[in-house]
């Protein structure tokens, strides 16, 4: 097999990259370990930045998003006996959109089918070769058990933190930074209408809680729990009791509506940055290069920003202009580190620890963010999304 760009990974970043390249007349093949159905069903991010939505609209991928997404002007920040709304539109002139990654994946898959994109699912034994030459390749075993080789001019790793692309960068070239947090999130999906108009981020002595949503009839909730917590320890009654306490059920007349829980899982919290994001003819995008805790809603949006920079850079590279491709890693990493810091800042401000000194610092930070226009604007600018290429 031969193509111009071999893309490893058929999640949002891989399929979006293939779409943007096709619009510029660049051929690609997408390779994916999982099945199309599995990738489409993964429950991940649900908040899209303004910049992400603007890009999807420009790429012709936002028809359903514009009909079904729920635009939000801001978020609520809360601690016991206080709840404050931050209006991002007033503070920063930008908003965010509630639209689940599962929905975006459906749109990207539909667009790939419509243009006849070559996507090879359910492969195994994926390996990257000859990355320092102008004829790199990817070998794999297809779903029928046949060994295959895909030759290309460029390879792009969009295969997440556990795929082969990140480790294909030699150890003596790759630098990594990592932070593992002392807590995890117990996340649930529930068939119940949201009890709030916009997301609630709640600091509580028992631990952080988040009330999010996926639609008018499906809500998403998170509870801070210790690392390695078995999900079986949390019954439905215990989950709803914990959420009611931490989110302030009964506070100023606000009530938490409960309903059937359809999914629950425990999500570890970590930050990870691997650089450079380019080695020879290999380029990394999304989780293959960086992981952030979900508190700041940055993971999917960072992947989109990477791809928005990478697509024109690869187009130019394949037509003889190397400047954008040479600058890709440094340009992308500026935004990666900004978003990594913001995600760390939100995480450490809202998640409680046993240290009473830390708790007082967190409450002081929350009071400042909700009472200072400068503090509120900084949060709004980062949460609603800095311009791509920042």
């Amino acid at each position: 097999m031969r193509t111009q760009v071999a893309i490893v990974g058929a999640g949002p970043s891989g399929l979006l990259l293939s779409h943007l390249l096709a619009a510029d007349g660049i051929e690609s093949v997408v390779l994916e370990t999982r099945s199309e159905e599995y990738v489409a069903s993964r429950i991940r991010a649900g908040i899209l930045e303004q910049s992400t939505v603007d890009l999807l609209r420009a790429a012709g991928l936002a028809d359903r998003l514009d009909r079904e997404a729920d635009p939000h002007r801001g978020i609520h920040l809360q601690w016991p006996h206080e709840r404050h709304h931050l209006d991002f539109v007033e503070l920063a002139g930008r908003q965010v959109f509630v639209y689940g990654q599962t929905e975006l994946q459906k749109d990207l898959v539909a667009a790939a089918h419509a243009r006849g994109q070559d996507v090879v699912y359910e492969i195994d034994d994926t390996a990257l070769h000859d990355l320092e030459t102008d004829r790199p390749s990817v070998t794999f075993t297809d779903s029928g058990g046949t060994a295959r080789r895909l030759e290309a001019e460029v390879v792009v790793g969009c295969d997440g933190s556990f795929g082969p692309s990140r480790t294909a960068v030699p150890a003596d070239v790759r630098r990594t930074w990592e932070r593992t947090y002392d807590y995890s999130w117990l996340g649930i999906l529930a068939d119940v209408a949201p009890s709030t108009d916009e997301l609630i981020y709640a600091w509580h002595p028992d631990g952080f809680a988040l009330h999010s949503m996926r639609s008018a009839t499906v809500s998403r909730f998170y509870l801070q729990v210790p690392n390695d917590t078995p999900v079986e320890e949390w019954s439905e009654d215990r989950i709803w009791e914990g959420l009611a306490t931490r989110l302030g059920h009964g506070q100023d007349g606000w009530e938490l509506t409960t309903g059937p829980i359809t999914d629950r899982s425990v999500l570890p919290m970590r930050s990870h940055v691997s650089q450079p994001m380019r080695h020879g003819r290999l380029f990394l995008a999304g989780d293959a290069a960086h992981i952030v805790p979900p508190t700041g809603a940055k993971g999917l949006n960072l992947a989109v920003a990477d791809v928005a920079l990478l697509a024109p850079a690869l187009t130019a590279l394949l037509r003889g202009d190397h400047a954008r491709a040479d600058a890709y890693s440094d340009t992308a990493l500026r935004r990666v580190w900004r978003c990594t810091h913001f995600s760390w800042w939100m995480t450490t401000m809202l998640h409680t620890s046993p240290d009473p000194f830390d708790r007082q610092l967190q409450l002081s930070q929350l009071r400042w963010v909700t009472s200072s226009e400068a503090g509120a604007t900084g949060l709004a600018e980062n949460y609603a999304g800095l311009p791509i290429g920042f």
Side-chain angles (χ1 to χ4, degrees), residues 354-378:
D355 188 337
F357 184 79
D358 284 348
R359 294 189 177 200
Q360 293 305 314
L361 292 179
Q362 290 173 319
L363 290 169
S364 175
Q365 182 96 301
L366 285 164
R367 293 186 188 105
W368 172 69
V369 168
T370 55
S371 62
S372 161
E373 184 175 349
T377 300

Side-chain angles (χ1 to χ4, degrees), residues 289-369:
H290 42 74
I291 300 287
V292 292
T295 324
K298 292 290 143 231
L300 174 60
N301 293 293
L302 259 183
V304 171
D306 290 346
V307 168
L309 292 172
L310 187 54
L314 294 183
T315 299
L317 174 66
L318 294 171
R319 292 171 180 167
D321 182 353
H322 293 238
R324 286 190 179 186
D326 291 344
Y328 167 69
S329 181
D330 289 341
T331 304
L333 282 165
R334 285 200 300 271
R335 198 175 201 273
V336 167
W337 278 112
R338 174 85 295 278
C339 293
T340 299
H341 176 268
F342 176 68
S343 300
W344 166 86
W345 180 77
M346 287 281 288
T347 300
T348 55
M349 177 173 67
L350 288 161
H351 290 74
T352 54
S353 77
D355 188 337
F357 184 79
D358 284 348
R359 294 189 177 200
Q360 293 305 314
L361 292 179
Q362 290 173 319
L363 290 169
S364 175
Q365 182 96 301
L366 285 164
R367 293 186 188 105
W368 172 69
V369 168

